[in-house]
């Protein structure tokens, strides 16, 4: 019972910001993203009757108890669906610069959902897989699919209509996405905590909800029409609105730092020179800049010259979840499994399923 899956991160063009159900990860609004080719997570999962608890290896190291518990709770959902009570060894390798503040939860939970459901023997389609990945981290439901992806929020209380799907048949539009790493100092408010505080306390949240569906339909039609300016305008406006809600929260907070604003100003300057580039920002100080492929080198060079910019990663639309052969060496799956499964069997039982 082993499977290995690979999933890529995504960048939201229209943001998911706020939950209507914390336990089921049901969002207040629909969102839209591009899955990126450059950053991904590969995860091997093996269930075994002789394990006495779940074991979680992250980038070759045994993960902390807290991290393992989160993974274990997520696996519980999959065990429930499968009607199984087996523990697992989870071996995850992140090719995401997480230390630089780029989030890996989307690719992480998408890869885990795919590998674990396959390893436990569930035969499900990508829509169901997206619903399961959502319950690890909301944005993970979008990483099941490649290219341009929409997460429809759904209306039902059980979440069965809240899942992601590709935007139309449009996977061919090869835009460039530059992930801009800025020099950052402050400790960040995690997105989960930030969106909760905003929903509960920000008077600006109502304005977000009033306009986000319109932003989404503009973005959807811009993608279908390949209208880059129309897409860029709505992407920037939507990001600014999301960040405005945090300023009204109690206590207020902001994800931007001076370097973030530096990058914003440089993007605006590029536009004043006729180069079409647009920014978006998630729950941190880094900036993503979208442009057309013909402009990617000039935009990249300019951004690399900004003092507060530490690095720029050039990305393009990437694929959805894929499954890898069990012998894949990136995860050294078999060897690691044997090592940790033996070590684990020697431990005392710490939780009962
Ligand atoms: C600002 O998916 O990380 O990046 O569901 O609580 O795990 P949880 O949150 P997460 O939030 C992402 C927020 C965002 C916008 C987006 O990706 O749509």
């Amino acid at each position: 019972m082993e499977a290995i899956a690979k999933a890529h991160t995504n960048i939201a063009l229209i943001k998911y910001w706020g939950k209507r159900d914390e336990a089921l990860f049901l969002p207040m609004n629909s969102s839209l993203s591009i899955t990126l080719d450059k950053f991904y997570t590969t995860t091997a999962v093996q269930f075994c009757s002789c394990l006495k608890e779940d074991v979680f290896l992250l980038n070759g190291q045994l993960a902390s108890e807290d991290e393992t518990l989160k993974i274990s709770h997520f696996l519980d959902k999959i065990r429930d669906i499968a009607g199984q009570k087996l523990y697992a060894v989870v071996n995850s390798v992140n090719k995401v610069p997480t230390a630089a503040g780029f989030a890996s939860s989307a690719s992480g939970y998408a890869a885990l959902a795919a590998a674990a459901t396959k390893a436990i023997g569930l035969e499900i389609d990508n829509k169901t897989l997206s619903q399961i990945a959502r319950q690890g981290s909301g944005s993970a439901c979008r990483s099941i699919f490649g290219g341009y992806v929409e997460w429809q929020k759904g209306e039902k209380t059980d979440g069965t209509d809240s899942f992601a799907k590709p935007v139309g048949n449009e996977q061919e539009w090869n835009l460039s996405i530059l992930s801009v790493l800025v020099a950052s100092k402050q400790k960040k408010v995690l997105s989960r905590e930030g969106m909760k505080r905003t929903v509960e306390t920000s008077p600006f949240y109502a304005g977000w909800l009033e306009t986000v569906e319109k932003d989404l339909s503009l973005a959807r039609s811009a993608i279908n029409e390949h209208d880059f300016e129309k897409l860029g305008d709505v992407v920037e406006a939507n990001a600014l609105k999301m960040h405005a809600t945090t300023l009204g929260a109690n206590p207020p907070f902001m994800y931007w730092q001076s370097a973030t604003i530096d990058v914003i100003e440089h993007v605006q300057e590029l536009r004043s020179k006729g180069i079409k580039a647009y920014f978006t920002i998630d729950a941190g100080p880094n900036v993503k800049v979208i442009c057309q492929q013909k402009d990617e080198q000039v935009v990249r060079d300019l951004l690399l010259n900004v003092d507060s910019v530490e690095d720029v990663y050039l990305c393009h639309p990437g694929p959805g979840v894929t499954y890898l052969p069990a012998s894949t060496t990136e995860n050294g799956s078999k060897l690691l499994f044997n090592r940790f499964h033996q070590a684990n069997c020697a431990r005392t039982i710490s939780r009962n399923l």
Side-chain angles (χ1 to χ4, degrees), residues 131-270:
Q131 282 172 29
I132 294 172
R134 187 198 76 221
Q135 296 174 62
S137 181
S139 53
C141 77
R142 298 186 308 235
S143 277
I144 300 301
F145 300 95
Y148 301 83
V149 181
E150 181 176 336
W151 172 13
Q152 57 177 51
K153 66 184 170 84
E155 304 292 338
K156 295 184 182 169
T157 50
D158 65 1
T160 48
D161 58 351
S162 185
F163 52 83
K165 56 178 192 203
V167 177
N169 293 319
E170 188 42 74
Q171 304 307 311
E172 301 299 316
W173 197 20
N174 200 1
L175 292 183
S176 307
I177 307 102
L178 297 122
S179 286
V180 185
L181 168 63
V182 299
S184 113
K185 305 163 241 76
Q186 282 145 251
K187 201 166 168 264
K188 84 177 207 185
V189 178
L190 295 174
S191 54
R192 194 163 297 180
E193 184 196 331
M195 66 174 82
K196 186 171 187 318
R197 196 190 301 172
T198 307
V199 172
E200 286 169 359
T201 66
S202 177
F204 306 150
Y205 193 71
W208 165 260
L209 284 184
E210 261 168 43
T211 55
V212 66
E213 293 296 331
K214 179 152 181 264
D215 290 352
L216 181 71
S217 91
L218 274 172
R220 205 189 288 125
S221 60
I223 291 167
N224 288 330
E225 293 155 14
H226 289 200
D227 186 334
F228 184 63
E229 275 185 71
K230 181 171 167 183
L231 181 67
D233 281 341
V234 70
V235 165
E236 259 190 31
N238 185 264
L240 291 170
K241 263 187 282 188
M242 181 205 114
H243 287 271
T245 66
T246 72
L247 302 181
N250 184 14
F253 62 104
M254 73 193 296
Y255 288 113
W256 300 2
Q257 296 182 13
S258 49
T260 313
I261 296 168
D262 259 6
V263 176
I264 291 177
E265 285 176 351
H266 277 86
V267 171
Q268 286 166 340
E269 194 188 312
L270 273 169

Side-chain angles (χ1 to χ4, degrees), residues 40-342:
Y40 59 88
T41 302
T42 317
T43 296
V45 175
Q46 185 155 19
F47 288 93
C48 181
S49 57
C50 51
L51 289 167
K52 303 209 167 44
E53 61 185 3
D54 294 316
V55 180
F56 178 34
L57 292 153
L58 185 57
N59 298 329
Q61 309 257 325
L62 206 50
S64 69
E65 225 173 277
D66 274 5
E67 281 170 321
T68 308
L69 209 60
K70 274 193 224 155
I71 296 301
S72 231
H73 283 145
F74 181 69
L75 288 177
D76 285 346
K77 296 175 203 274
I78 292 172
R79 284 186 275 251
D80 281 353
I81 300 170
Q84 291 272 13
K85 294 194 168 210
L86 299 173
Y87 290 110
V89 177
V90 174
N91 181 15
S92 253
V93 177
N94 263 334
K95 298 284 180 205
V96 181
T98 40
F102 290 114
S104 62
S105 66
S107 57
Y109 277 101
L112 177 61
T117 50
K118 186 154 191 242
I120 213 163
L122 286 172
E123 281 180 21
I124 51 172
D125 57 14
N126 277 347
K127 172 179 144 184
T128 311
L129 186 57
S130 172
Q131 282 172 29
I132 294 172
R134 187 198 76 221
Q135 296 174 62
S137 181
S139 53
C141 77
R142 298 186 308 235
S143 277
I144 300 301
F145 300 95
Y148 301 83
V149 181
E150 181 176 336
W151 172 13
Q152 57 177 51
K153 66 184 170 84
E155 304 292 338
K156 295 184 182 169
T157 50
D158 65 1
T160 48
D161 58 351
S162 185
F163 52 83
K165 56 178 192 203
V167 177
N169 293 319
E170 188 42 74
Q171 304 307 311
E172 301 299 316
W173 197 20
N174 200 1
L175 292 183
S176 307
I177 307 102
L178 297 122
S179 286
V180 185
L181 168 63
V182 299
S184 113
K185 305 163 241 76
Q186 282 145 251
K187 201 166 168 264
K188 84 177 207 185
V189 178
L190 295 174
S191 54
R192 194 163 297 180
E193 184 196 331
M195 66 174 82
K196 186 171 187 318
R197 196 190 301 172
T198 307
V199 172
E200 286 169 359
T201 66
S202 177
F204 306 150
Y205 193 71
W208 165 260
L209 284 184
E210 261 168 43
T211 55
V212 66
E213 293 296 331
K214 179 152 181 264
D215 290 352
L216 181 71
S217 91
L218 274 172
R220 205 189 288 125
S221 60
I223 291 167
N224 288 330
E225 293 155 14
H226 289 200
D227 186 334
F228 184 63
E229 275 185 71
K230 181 171 167 183
L231 181 67
D233 281 341
V234 70
V235 165
E236 259 190 31
N238 185 264
L240 291 170
K241 263 187 282 188
M242 181 205 114
H243 287 271
T245 66
T246 72
L247 302 181
N250 184 14
F253 62 104
M254 73 193 296
Y255 288 113
W256 300 2
Q257 296 182 13
S258 49
T260 313
I261 296 168
D262 259 6
V263 176
I264 291 177
E265 285 176 351
H266 277 86
V267 171
Q268 286 166 340
E269 194 188 312
L270 273 169
R271 279 214 298 277
S272 72
K273 289 181 185 150
I275 296 169
K276 294 193 174 36
Y278 299 86
F279 63 83
T280 184
I281 305 156
D282 281 333
N286 295 324
V287 184
K288 312 300 187 300
V289 177
I290 56 168
C291 67
Q292 297 171 96
Q293 256 191 310
K294 66 179 172 63
D295 297 322
E296 66 183 28
Q297 282 314 331
V298 68
V299 175
R300 182 161 188 263
D301 290 348
L302 180 127
L303 292 170
L304 277 169
N305 273 329
V306 179
D307 280 347
S308 47
V309 167
E310 294 197 337
D311 213 341
V312 177
Y313 304 87
L314 177 59
C315 306
H316 296 104
V321 152
T322 50
Y323 297 90
L324 308 178
S327 57
T328 306
T329 49
E330 195 164 71
N331 290 65
S333 162
K334 264 279 175 295
L335 257 170
L336 278 165
F337 174 75
N338 290 339
R339 220 169 90 210
F340 283 93
H341 139 231
Q342 277 157 17

